[in-house]
Amino acid sequence: MADILIIGSGLGGLSAATLLARDGHRVTVLERDPQPPPPVERAGDAWTGWSRRGVNQFRLPHFMLPRWWAQMREEIPELSPTLRTAGALQFNTMAALPERMRGPRRADDDRFETVTARRPVLETAMSAVAEAAGVTIRRGVAVTGFTTDGRFRVPRITGVLTDGGAAVRADVVVDCCGRRSALGSWLSAVGARPPLDEREDSGFVYFARHFWSPTAQFPSQLGALIQNYNSVTVLTLPGDGGTWSVVL
């Protein structure tokens, strides 16, 4: 059994924390944003009421691919009923197409199954699953650097420093801060070699709008979720609780 720290409580951090806790480790997630999510039964409130200033894309449209959902059903099966409680939509990307486009259904078409929900709702459900698995989530704690044992030329990480000045010890530290992570500077500060970081401006600009139907129905799908028109791509993505989004 190890003491493991996860930095960042996004979907990647919470998934890793849940899997490690289920393997018998003591897992703590450190999250700099202080506000917790609402209860799963009111997950829809997270859309308007949950502040996640550390996640720029928190209210941009998200779509979880079927491969992700297949992995979650196998590795974290308790996520499925939690997402249903949160209002997520079970969605088959193949079956949703008109039959004239996809042909008749086949026995293995369940591999195209996924669930859809807005990012705040997904994260609300994943937070509940992680805590139920025994993960400790400490919110309002910002990591400012690493601690080391100081015994070797190549530093051995023994924990993290927080914005309050306190050190939190761990056997393993996992950085799940995403593309805005300060991992490189933290490693340099303790004399370690920072990782090679390559970034490229993709040139994409996104415009999006979310919609809600009082009948909780996703609009009839007449084609693929993604449509390409020369330099413009249009995505129409189902969400949770009768919501969907259009992205240009």
Side-chain angles (χ1 to χ4, degrees):
M1 178 183 290
D3 290 306
I4 300 177
L5 280 180
I6 307 285
I7 309 173
S9 69
L11 293 172
L14 292 171
S15 299
T18 302
L19 292 170
L20 289 166
R22 290 181 57 186
D23 282 346
H25 301 293
R26 291 181 293 266
V27 184
T28 300
V29 175
L30 302 181
E31 169 56 52
R32 65 178 176 179
D33 287 336
Q35 186 178 356
V40 171
E41 295 76 12
R42 294 191 290 104
D45 295 348
W47 179 252
T48 55
W50 189 12
S51 176
R52 289 282 273 121
R53 298 185 65 181
V55 184
N56 285 342
Q57 70 275 24
F58 195 56
R59 286 178 175 80
L60 289 177
H62 285 66
F63 188 79
M64 313 309 289
L65 297 177
R67 177 60 182 158
W68 172 86
W69 183 229
Q71 199 74 32
M72 289 296 101
R73 283 181 293 175
E74 180 179 348
E75 301 288 349
I76 311 178
E78 58 270 37
L79 180 59
S80 182
T82 306
L83 280 171
R84 283 199 299 271
T85 301
L89 173 68
Q90 192 86 13
F91 188 82
N92 189 298
T93 57
M94 180 64 71
L97 291 169
E99 187 171 354
R100 60 180 172 78
M101 296 183 64
R102 59 170 167 80
R105 291 288 302 270
R106 298 181 180 180
D108 61 349
D109 279 356
D110 59 350
R111 71 184 189 274
F112 301 111
E113 291 281 345
T114 188
V115 291
T116 66
R118 294 165 292 177
R119 167 69 181 267
V121 173
L122 280 167
E123 203 167 296
T124 296
M126 196 69 239
S127 293
V129 167
E131 291 183 317
V135 175
T136 299
I137 303 177
R138 294 177 55 189
R139 300 186 185 274
V141 179
V143 173
T144 59
F146 292 131
T147 60
T148 68
D149 57 14
R151 294 185 298 164
F152 303 100
R153 183 175 64 85
V154 177
R156 179 178 179 274
I157 305 299
T158 58
V160 301
L161 295 170
T162 65
D163 55 352
V168 182
R169 183 197 167 279
D171 299 308
V172 177
V173 178
V174 183
D175 174 32
C176 290
C177 293
R179 65 193 301 263
R180 299 172 67 187
S181 170
L183 177 65
S185 61
W186 294 341
L187 289 172
S188 296
V190 296
R193 183 177 62 188
L196 180 64
D197 188 9
E198 294 186 13
R199 302 192 182 200
E200 190 73 25
D201 185 356
S202 64
F204 285 100
V205 177
Y206 290 86
F207 298 90
R209 178 169 289 181
H210 292 265
F211 299 89
W212 172 74
S213 167
T215 61
Q217 294 293 321
F218 181 57
S220 297
Q221 191 170 330
L222 303 180
L225 296 177
I226 182 169
Q227 299 285 335
N228 298 304
Y229 304 96
N230 293 326
S231 64
V232 177
T233 298
V234 181
L235 296 103
T236 306
L237 303 177
D240 60 278
T243 64
W244 73 91
S245 57
V246 176
V247 188
L248 300 179

